[in-house]
Amino acid sequence: MKTGWSTLLVFVLAGGLLAGCGRSEDQSDSNPEKLRFGLLVAQETEQTYERLDVLTKYFAKQLGREVEFLQITTPSAMIEAMRARKIEVAGGTGAFTYLVASKVIGAEAIATTTAADGNVRYYKSCLITSPNSGLRSIDDVIKNAGNITLSWAYPTSTSGHLVPRYYLQKRGIKPQDFKEVFTSTDHTATLFSVASGKVDVAAIMYATLDRFMKTGKVKPGAVRVIWESEPIAPGPIFVRKDLDPALKKQIQLAYTNVAKADPDAMEALQSQFTYSMSYIPVTDSLYQSLRQMANQIEGLTLKEE
């Protein structure tokens, strides 16, 4: 299997089912009277945003206009929603989803999450296997790729596709070198495809594995980690680039000031995270190294045509 950028682009645009979004009026101006926020439902944590009324009230007050929050189930649907001008603001996706959105629709990053110490909260990717696979290290995977099945989390996943694919390419292994390559729906499904023995090796976010281990949903020894990545930058809150600069600044401030301005709204946003977090301003430059990584992967480029 070879997942080229053109294939990924088709996937993204075809993925615009916009579950839960429905149709709404076009808002093509740069300073719309109504702002629509897309929030990615974190399927792997089995969580949804349950206090949208609190978020709606907070952001409407901060931005001085009507606000609507839409829960969206896939990253590709999030990109399509913004491309189709169904939303102006997006949150909850990974960095690679943002990079795709940046290329496809010119999205602009404005904020990201921090850890308790106020610094950017980085995370890791990992490759996992079943203890029964006979694979004990990444070198075993490299040597036996032709007899191994591999699964990505989903096409626009940073930790479940981009980063591990780049690492494997550096080791001389490409997707077509494996016996078969699958694409899952999310990190949870990918994790359990390995735990159940359906797939030999899979790429997931390390925090997903850690979460399921701590809650007992994955028993100790059910999977083996055979590779961990270097730290990865978290995904940003991003907006339509053609919004009025003053409005984009207002949206950014609404996120970065939420903890002080409205603890209830902060609690509603915090519910999607397993660590104590807050928001800080961010620019596209934080993601340039990941963009360069994507541009170096054979058949997967974010360069302008």
Side-chain angles (χ1 to χ4, degrees):
M1 185 193 82
K2 184 176 181 180
T3 305
W5 165 244
S6 59
T7 303
L8 179 59
L9 180 57
V10 170
F11 175 87
V12 167
L13 297 184
L17 299 178
L18 305 183
C21 288
R23 291 185 175 273
S24 57
E25 70 281 3
D26 177 54
Q27 293 187 335
S28 58
D29 59 295
S30 64
N31 195 14
E33 295 181 0
K34 178 180 179 180
L35 275 178
R36 295 158 297 185
F37 291 64
L39 297 175
L40 186 68
V41 177
Q43 296 179 10
E44 65 265 21
T45 61
E46 300 178 351
Q47 291 178 332
T48 58
Y49 290 87
E50 297 180 351
R51 303 184 65 191
L52 294 181
D53 56 331
V54 174
L55 294 178
T56 300
K57 181 179 179 181
Y58 168 73
F59 281 95
K61 179 180 179 181
Q62 295 297 311
L63 301 175
R65 68 198 70 210
E66 184 180 355
V67 165
E68 181 182 9
F69 281 87
L70 304 171
Q71 297 188 80
I72 300 178
T73 56
T74 67
S76 59
M78 184 77 80
I79 295 171
E80 173 62 11
M82 188 170 285
R83 186 197 67 82
R85 294 180 179 274
K86 303 298 183 183
I87 61 172
E88 286 71 47
V89 187
T93 70
F96 191 31
T97 298
Y98 162 66
L99 292 177
V100 175
S102 177
K103 176 180 173 62
V104 175
I105 54 176
E108 181 179 337
I110 61 169
T112 193
T113 55
T114 72
D117 60 5
N119 294 315
V120 173
R121 172 85 181 204
Y122 290 87
Y123 66 108
K124 289 186 176 183
S125 166
C126 65
L127 290 171
I128 60 173
T129 188
S130 166
N132 299 322
S133 68
L135 303 169
R136 308 195 67 84
S137 68
I138 191 64
D139 289 332
D140 288 340
V141 174
I142 303 297
K143 294 175 184 177
N144 299 285
N147 299 314
I148 293 172
T149 55
L150 170 72
S151 178
W152 307 128
Y154 51 86
T156 59
S157 173
T158 313
S159 58
H161 180 210
L162 174 64
V163 172
R165 181 170 171 177
Y166 175 73
Y167 171 77
L168 288 171
Q169 180 176 290
K170 287 208 306 180
R171 294 294 306 270
I173 300 296
K174 300 171 185 176
Q176 59 267 34
D177 295 325
F178 287 90
K179 179 180 179 181
E180 193 169 3
V181 178
F182 302 95
T183 298
S184 190
T185 56
D186 56 44
H187 293 269
T188 300
T190 311
L191 168 59
F192 284 99
S193 70
V194 168
S196 64
K198 293 180 179 178
V199 177
D200 295 319
V201 177
I204 66 169
M205 179 169 58
Y206 189 91
T208 299
L209 173 60
D210 186 56
R211 184 183 304 118
F212 277 91
M213 293 285 284
K214 287 180 178 177
T215 59
K217 293 181 179 179
V218 172
K219 302 300 181 183
V223 297
R224 174 185 294 141
V225 176
I226 53 177
W227 171 80
E228 292 182 32
S229 73
E230 295 297 318
I232 303 169
I237 302 296
F238 59 90
V239 298
R240 271 179 31 207
K241 194 170 185 176
D242 63 340
L243 292 181
D244 182 89
L247 177 57
K248 286 188 282 190
K249 185 64 176 179
Q250 274 188 293
I251 298 169
Q252 182 185 64
L253 288 173
Y255 273 100
T256 57
N257 293 336
V258 61
K260 293 181 179 179
D262 192 331
D264 287 340
M266 184 67 217
E267 182 181 344
L269 291 167
Q270 173 73 68
S271 68
Q272 285 295 99
F273 296 85
T274 59
Y275 59 90
S276 179
M277 48 72 70
S278 61
Y279 292 94
I280 58 171
V282 75
T283 64
D284 182 80
S285 61
L286 179 64
Y287 305 100
Q288 189 56 28
S289 61
L290 288 172
R291 182 178 285 111
Q292 292 171 349
M293 184 182 295
N295 287 334
Q296 292 177 45
I297 296 177
E298 183 178 316
L300 183 67
T301 177
L302 293 174
K303 294 176 181 176
E304 295 297 334
E305 301 294 336

